Amino acid sequence: MYRFFRSLRSMCAPITAFIGFSCLLTFIFILYQPTPGPGIKQRLGWQSWDSISMNSDDLATVSSNTSSQAAEPHVDLPEGVDWWNVSGLPGTGQDTVNTTSLPLDVWLPTAPHDTGLSEISIVHCYMDPQLAGDLCAPSTTPEKDAIRGPWVRVERNLNLESGYLSGYLSIFYRRTRRLDINLIDSIRLFSPDETPVPPEGWTKVDKSVRTGIYHAPPLFLWYHVGKTAGDMSTEEKNQLITEIDVLYGDDVPWWGFERLQSATTPKVEGRTVSTYITIRKGVKPVPKAPPLHFSRDGKFKILQIADLHYSVSVGRCRDIRPNSALYTNCDAPDGPGSDNLSSTLLAHMLDVEKPDLVVFTGDQLNGQETSWDPKSVLAKFAKEVWGRGIPWAAIFGNHDSEDGLGREDQMTLLEAMPYSLSQRGPKDVHGVGNYVLAVRSADPSMTHLLTLYFLDSGDYSKGFYNFWGMFTPTAYDWIRQDQIDWFLRESSKIQMIERPFTPDGAKDISSIHWSRQTDQLTPQTRRLARPNALAFFHMPLPEAYNAPDKNPDTNWPLDKGLSGLEPNGNAQGNDGFFEKALLATTESDHVNSQAQGAGQGPRQEVKVVANGHCHITENCRRIKGVWMCFGGGGSYSGYGKIGFDRRFRVFEISEYGEKIRTWKRTEGTDAAPDGTVMDDMVLVGPGAPSY
């Protein structure tokens, strides 16, 4: 014992010194984060500068934020020209980016780089390149970096699906703006015994793109170096390789990219998915969604898509009727998979309904360790929508951020997708994706006729980490108090208009056309009020399961559709969004005692709330004047119930925002290829149940 304690005493001083020195280093390099004040000299680089241009959309936003009494936008248009097709008006123009301000030493696959690549290399490393730094980078010199550009790593591991023992296999490239450097205009993959024909101008990368993948034949990357940027024509510049990325899975690559012909990691059924190298040629401007607007006859249609639950793989069907053709197709080893079958169903619904806007109400990603690369999943979930040029918006569900990227990074990708109207929302408010969209009139007055609120209902509020470090949730999140405050502020900014709305026919195609449309409106008492509104968020409120209102004319409960087939899906926590926000925001700031006495009130601003989350709940129930509607599951990749057809909810807003009608359309059958329309009902306006 004496010798033991003497040994401890001898180790006490060095251990104490080691721990103290470690704490000192931790404080200096990690914990100590000084805030540079105005008197401290700053180092300025390219990151410090950005060109900012204020278009009319920005000016309109600033104006609406600074004064809630600002006038509606109004333009004078030539005859036969629609305001939403005129550049320079809100939401009508393409974003202009100064490409010379984009960095050359950072991998930004969504940035519109028009600068070509000069050299490509592949490096295999057993350390994470983000930690190893230059140890896992190709060799270089300052002279080469100055001439050909610094090495940039594509931050995607080609060996990700091959296991930890395969190490990290990374693609590096150089990018340069010099006009006297020959640039890459083609990339191909060849086996060891193949070479490009003709071989002139082609360079072979020494390392195989399958290095570290056992039992897979080698595959080598070749790239062709063409002319210099100074000698290229516009057509030739459009064929330049401007970006490289990696795709996991067999679905479509990111917008503007095309995948090379061979998989770097072959697919092993039931174990791994394929990995592909994708390239972008030239600059592919992302199409922007036109401003949301009613048709000239005062209609606007929204298609709600709930709970797709897509994965990196093609997915597996759940709760499909046995012995059906769909079940056989899903079960086939080389079948299309549940994700592709769901996309086919969605495409058919889009062609039948022809919506003006598509809203994804959360759980686009399956999570649960199957959507481990969200970027590959996000590339495919909305392809049928943006492929048809339809504007769309999305909010997050509880499963979307379970694997891989968080909500912030996913929203950055969503905002960069074609025809997307999704927005990050204010950073000082709980969640990601709290934003408002306005639907305007088709006449030159561009009057705000319908408000669409989007909120992030969160994912999980409680949980624990198991022995393997995996998070196990135990409680759902909910809409927080700061989101309620944000909602009230946004509602207060919306101007009251004269309702029912009458189009400004004097400055459009013809007053006769508008007068005919106006004659079709149901006669109503004109009043000054805010436009009707719909709210979209993933998780239902606890009040969605309360007892419904009763129709005063029939005394029947106002609850239509299927419910009760699954447990309630609301969170246990509640900050009172229903009472503090939905019931507190009204159409008008003035109390109309005559209208209240006539049974026309209360008139909340938000008439309908649309939720997802519960796949086999699809009813609409009116609670204290607010309709709470579920979308029902529309995907074969999410859970369901045998005999419960997949379905989508449609909202048709007509009479310039005064009338809201809804129905559901189920998947097609041999007898009804376009599906069945179910529970068609008027929620608000003429023909709706009275208050």
Side-chain angles (χ1 to χ4, degrees):
M1 293 297 295
Y2 172 75
R3 292 178 179 177
F4 174 73
F5 284 111
R6 188 174 61 177
S7 63
L8 288 181
R9 186 180 63 179
S10 63
M11 291 188 295
C12 181
I15 291 177
T16 303
F18 176 79
I19 294 177
F21 190 64
S22 300
C23 293
L24 179 64
L25 292 178
T26 302
F27 174 77
I28 294 175
F29 293 104
I30 298 179
L31 299 180
Y32 178 60
Q33 299 291 337
T35 302
I40 299 179
K41 194 173 182 179
Q42 300 288 310
R43 179 185 177 185
L44 299 181
W46 64 265
Q47 298 95 334
S48 304
W49 303 95
D50 196 6
S51 58
I52 302 176
S53 61
M54 295 290 286
N55 54 28
S56 59
D57 194 5
D58 300 323
L59 294 175
T61 303
V62 173
S63 176
S64 63
N65 289 338
T66 55
S67 174
S68 61
Q69 302 299 324
E72 290 283 350
H74 193 290
V75 292
D76 294 324
L77 297 174
E79 183 176 348
V81 177
D82 298 321
W83 64 264
W84 55 88
N85 291 325
V86 178
S87 61
L89 292 177
T92 56
Q94 296 285 350
D95 290 341
T96 57
V97 178
N98 182 11
T99 57
T100 60
S101 68
L102 296 175
L104 302 180
D105 57 348
V106 180
W107 182 64
L108 296 172
T110 58
H113 257 301
D114 60 354
T115 309
L117 312 182
S118 61
E119 190 176 351
I120 298 176
S121 181
I122 293 177
V123 177
H124 183 244
C125 188
Y126 285 99
M127 294 180 62
D128 188 342
Q130 290 183 336
L131 301 177
D134 294 340
L135 295 177
C136 292
S139 60
T140 185
T141 63
E143 291 77 14
K144 289 183 178 180
D145 289 347
I147 296 173
R148 308 187 67 85
W151 284 114
V152 178
R153 185 176 72 90
V154 176
E155 298 175 5
R156 313 270 278 176
N157 182 12
L158 289 172
N159 284 354
L160 185 62
E161 276 289 84
S162 303
Y164 295 106
L165 297 179
S166 300
Y168 296 85
L169 192 64
S170 303
I171 303 175
F172 287 81
Y173 62 72
R174 296 182 188 267
R175 185 191 298 276
T176 179
R177 291 193 178 98
R178 291 185 56 142
L179 301 180
D180 58 342
I181 299 298
N182 299 82
L183 301 177
I184 299 172
D185 56 14
S186 183
I187 298 177
R188 301 285 300 276
L189 297 176
F190 290 105
S191 60
D193 55 347
E194 295 179 318
T195 56
V197 179
E200 290 79 12
W202 287 89
T203 301
K204 177 184 177 182
V205 178
D206 295 334
K207 190 76 67 175
S208 168
V209 296
R210 290 177 177 171
T211 301
I213 304 177
Y214 303 103
H215 308 296
L219 193 66
F220 291 92
L221 186 146
W222 292 68
Y223 60 90
H224 183 268
V225 178
K227 298 179 180 180
T228 64
D231 295 334
M232 287 185 179
S233 63
T234 303
E235 291 76 12
E236 290 172 329
K237 289 182 179 179
N238 290 333
Q239 295 302 313
L240 272 180
I241 306 298
T242 56
E243 193 55 88
I244 300 177
D245 200 352
V246 174
L247 170 71
Y248 303 108
D250 294 302
D251 290 287
V252 296
W254 195 257
W255 166 262
F257 285 77
E258 56 187 79
R259 69 185 189 189
L260 300 184
Q261 67 277 16
S262 301
T264 60
T265 301
K267 176 182 178 180
V268 179
E269 190 65 38
R271 292 179 54 192
T272 63
V273 299
S274 304
T275 303
Y276 293 92
I277 296 175
T278 62
I279 60 174
R280 185 183 67 208
K281 294 183 177 180
V283 179
K284 302 291 192 301
V286 178
K288 299 297 180 182
L292 299 179
H293 57 89
F294 280 83
S295 62
R296 296 192 179 278
D297 58 353
K299 292 184 179 180
F300 187 81
K301 183 184 286 188
I302 301 173
L303 176 65
Q304 179 190 358
I305 301 173
D307 300 89
L308 288 177
H309 282 268
Y310 281 4
S311 303
V312 175
S313 67
V314 294
R316 300 183 62 181
C317 290
R318 299 183 60 182
D319 301 318
I320 303 297
R321 192 187 305 275
N323 303 322
S324 64
L326 180 63
Y327 183 86
T328 304
N329 205 9
C330 275
D331 202 38
D334 296 328
S338 60
D339 291 358
N340 290 324
L341 290 172
S342 300
S343 294
T344 302
L345 173 61
L346 172 57
H348 185 66
M349 292 293 168
L350 294 171
D351 294 337
V352 172
E353 292 292 350
K354 295 179 172 56
D356 300 298
L357 174 68
V358 172
V359 177
F360 295 91
T361 51
D363 281 0
Q364 289 75 242
L365 278 62
N366 186 54
Q368 306 169 80
E369 302 182 20
T370 69
S371 53
W372 41 267
D373 183 59
K375 184 179 179 182
S376 296
V377 185
L378 293 177
K380 67 177 179 177
F381 87 95
K383 62 181 180 180
E384 300 296 343
V385 179
W386 56 253
R388 289 164 171 76
I390 302 174
W392 59 275
I395 49 179
F396 291 122
N398 55 296
H399 287 293
D400 286 309
S401 53
E402 285 183 349
D403 299 333
L405 299 176
R407 280 162 139 77
E408 290 270 3
D409 294 327
Q410 287 192 41
M411 182 56 73
T412 301
L413 294 174
L414 290 177
E415 291 176 331
M417 294 178 69
Y419 301 103
S420 171
L421 295 171
S422 305
Q423 301 174 22
R424 190 259 176 256
K427 293 186 178 181
D428 58 346
V429 176
H430 184 81
V432 177
N434 302 296
Y435 57 100
V436 183
L437 297 178
V439 186
R440 300 185 178 275
S441 62
D443 67 332
S445 70
M446 296 187 290
T447 304
H448 180 166
L449 298 180
L450 180 70
T451 307
L452 306 177
Y453 292 100
F454 300 86
L455 294 100
D456 181 8
S457 57
D459 47 13
Y460 305 105
S461 60
K462 294 181 181 179
F464 64 91
Y465 289 91
N466 60 20
F467 177 78
W468 305 104
M470 304 299 295
F471 180 76
T472 302
T474 58
Y476 291 128
D477 205 351
W478 62 90
I479 296 177
R480 302 303 183 106
Q481 180 61 47
D482 59 350
Q483 292 175 281
I484 297 175
D485 298 336
W486 167 84
F487 179 88
L488 296 174
R489 289 194 302 269
E490 293 298 320
S491 175
S492 65
K493 295 177 184 177
I494 298 174
Q495 303 175 48
M496 292 187 289
I497 61 173
E498 188 178 4
R499 294 176 48 187
F501 172 75
T502 301
D504 184 5
K507 295 185 179 180
D508 206 73
I509 293 180
S510 67
S511 58
I512 299 177
H513 172 80
W514 286 118
S515 63
R516 289 176 178 173
Q517 301 299 336
T518 307
D519 291 342
Q520 298 175 8
L521 295 176
T522 305
Q524 300 181 41
T525 303
R526 306 188 72 82
R527 66 190 189 280
L528 193 65
R530 292 185 181 88
N532 285 330
L534 288 81
F536 297 89
F537 46 89
H538 180 72
M539 214 85 69
L541 299 174
E543 291 81 3
Y545 300 97
N546 288 355
D549 298 344
K550 289 188 177 182
N551 190 329
D553 300 324
T554 63
N555 207 33
W556 281 88
L558 294 174
D559 186 2
K560 197 167 187 179
L562 292 174
S563 61
L565 299 178
E566 57 186 323
N568 294 354
N570 61 282
Q572 296 302 313
N574 185 14
D575 280 357
F577 181 76
F578 184 77
E579 296 286 344
K580 298 178 183 178
L582 296 180
L583 298 186
T585 53
T586 57
E587 290 182 347
S588 176
D589 297 330
H590 310 288
V591 179
N592 189 334
S593 58
Q594 183 178 359
Q596 295 280 351
Q600 299 177 9
R603 294 176 181 268
Q604 288 85 8
E605 179 197 1
V606 176
K607 302 299 191 301
V608 181
V609 171
N611 300 124
H613 189 58
C614 303
H615 301 193
I616 52 178
T617 301
E618 45 89 90
N619 66 315
C620 267
R621 175 181 298 181
R622 200 176 80 180
I623 311 291
K624 295 185 178 180
V626 180
W627 286 96
M628 317 291 282
C629 296
F630 289 85
S635 173
Y636 302 114
S637 301
Y639 78 85
K641 187 178 181 65
I642 295 178
F644 187 92
D645 295 333
R646 266 59 177 183
R647 60 201 63 198
F648 301 87
R649 181 169 291 280
V650 180
F651 294 100
E652 183 186 68
I653 301 92
S654 59
E655 299 197 10
Y656 303 102
E658 296 299 323
K659 184 176 181 179
I660 302 177
R661 175 175 160 232
T662 187
W663 64 86
K664 294 159 295 189
R665 187 177 291 274
T666 65
E667 57 186 301
T669 61
D670 294 337
D674 291 339
T676 303
V677 174
M678 301 177 59
D679 299 333
D680 188 349
M681 60 186 301
V682 178
L683 304 178
V684 179
S690 58
Y691 290 97

